[in-house]
Amino acid sequence: GGVLRIGALTRHREVLESPVIGERYALLADAEMMIADPLVRNMGTIGGDLANADPAEDLPAAFVALDSEVAVRGPDGERTVHVDDLYVGPYETSLEHGEVLTEVRVPRSPGGSAYSKVKRKTGDYAAAAIGVALSMGGEEIESIRIGLCGVGSKTLRASGAEQALTGERPGSEAYRRAGEIAAEECDPIEDAKGTVEYKRDLVRVLLGRTVARAVERAAGQEV
Ligand SMILES: Cc1cc2nc3c(=O)[nH]c(=O)nc-3n(C[C@H](O)[C@H](O)[C@H](O)COP(=O)(O)OP(=O)(O)OC[C@H]3O[C@@H](n4cnc5c(N)ncnc54)[C@H](O)[C@@H]3O)c2cc1C
């Protein structure tokens, strides 16, 4: 139940191979598995992935779902920034000149979590991707956070879809409604990875699939 701290210089591969992350933060393992290829995962760092602020990078959306904050150090000392407030625009963070990101902190492990991504081929960035972390209260979704990747000028949080699912029983109708809302909340552009409508459709479909997987994991079913 403690805080998970991952140092900025940790490489993708180390996250992917961590048994603690595989067991308790499954969406991070899902996301890492789909980042680029083994060459990139052997070299790329968690701090670099978060600080680069590419809206199509996966870890920002995963850490948004995990309600995380980053520790930042600069000439005036250390401060923390919630990931919801880290991204200003494409390749732009709220870090001040001279500040470096030193670690990311996840306050608690979720009841269940999952990350889904559609990309054209291995090595590509996402056409769209979704990270979900939730806790169940009996048969209902008690709390949920949803991060969106590749469908806006920065990493997005699907707050409307979160509200639509909070207090609901999981099921296809709830997923359909939340998927419609998330598809409206995102703001994709047309590029080589697809049209605006295609990307909205990916969000619509991936949302239900990803929440369903997180719910199954929360119930102890390995998927
Ligand atoms: C072919 C290819 C495909 C990729 N596909 C994906 C993908 O699908 N999904 C994905 O998430 N990522 C992807 N990446 C990105 C990759 O995951 C790297 O993590 C990312 O490029 C950062 O690399 P790096 O750690 O070497 O940081 P660098 O390239 O060294 O740094 C990136 C930027 O962040 C700054 N920076 C680095 N560390 C810090 C820090 N601690 N504090 C403040 N600023 C810092 C640097 O100054 C620089 O501006 C891909 C990369 C490549 C080359």
Side-chain angles (χ1 to χ4, degrees):
V3 176
L4 172 72
R5 299 167 61 198
I6 306 176
L9 291 177
T10 308
R11 296 188 193 277
H12 293 297
R13 179 182 170 177
E14 295 172 84
V15 174
L16 185 56
E17 292 179 349
S18 159
V20 171
I21 286 173
E23 279 167 29
R24 306 191 60 179
Y25 305 87
L27 89 166
L28 286 179
D30 291 345
E32 285 290 0
M33 195 60 202
M34 291 181 279
I35 288 179
D37 51 41
L39 290 178
V40 171
R41 294 198 296 263
N42 283 343
M43 296 299 290
T45 65
I46 304 312
D49 198 291
L50 285 167
N52 204 28
D54 180 336
E57 267 170 343
D58 294 284
L59 293 186
F63 283 113
V64 161
L66 286 169
D67 200 12
S68 315
E69 61 181 23
V70 295
V72 172
R73 196 172 301 153
D76 299 327
E78 188 174 300
R79 66 187 179 109
T80 55
V81 181
H82 196 281
V83 280
D84 289 355
D85 304 319
L86 186 58
Y87 299 105
V88 176
Y91 301 98
E92 191 181 354
T93 67
S94 55
L95 298 194
E96 299 291 341
H97 187 71
E99 284 186 324
V100 290
L101 193 159
T102 56
E103 68 178 24
V104 57
R105 298 173 185 158
V106 183
R108 71 198 79 80
S109 66
S113 68
Y115 191 88
S116 308
K117 171 174 175 175
V118 170
K119 55 181 179 173
R120 293 179 308 173
K121 59 176 173 46
T122 297
D124 268 1
Y125 285 82
I130 295 189
V132 169
L134 55 78
S135 294
M136 299 297 292
E139 299 288 303
E140 290 163 6
I141 297 172
E142 189 173 74
S143 64
I144 181 166
R145 285 181 62 99
I146 303 170
L148 302 178
C149 158
V151 287
S153 61
K154 58 179 186 170
T155 300
L156 300 176
R157 182 176 167 202
S159 315
E162 291 173 2
Q163 277 172 26
L165 287 163
T166 304
E168 292 292 317
R169 279 175 171 249
S172 52
E173 183 49 29
Y175 298 158
R176 192 196 58 74
R177 273 201 312 273
E180 293 293 339
I181 294 170
E184 288 307 312
E185 286 183 288
C186 66
D187 188 19
I189 54 163
E190 179 164 348
D191 60 15
K193 289 177 270 181
T195 62
V196 169
E197 191 40 50
Y198 171 66
K199 292 180 184 180
R200 285 195 198 280
D201 219 32
L202 288 179
V203 168
R204 225 173 257 132
V205 173
L206 287 181
L207 187 111
R209 281 189 201 165
T210 317
V211 176
R213 202 160 169 222
V215 167
E216 285 171 25
R217 283 176 169 165
Q221 297 159 9
E222 189 34 52
V223 283

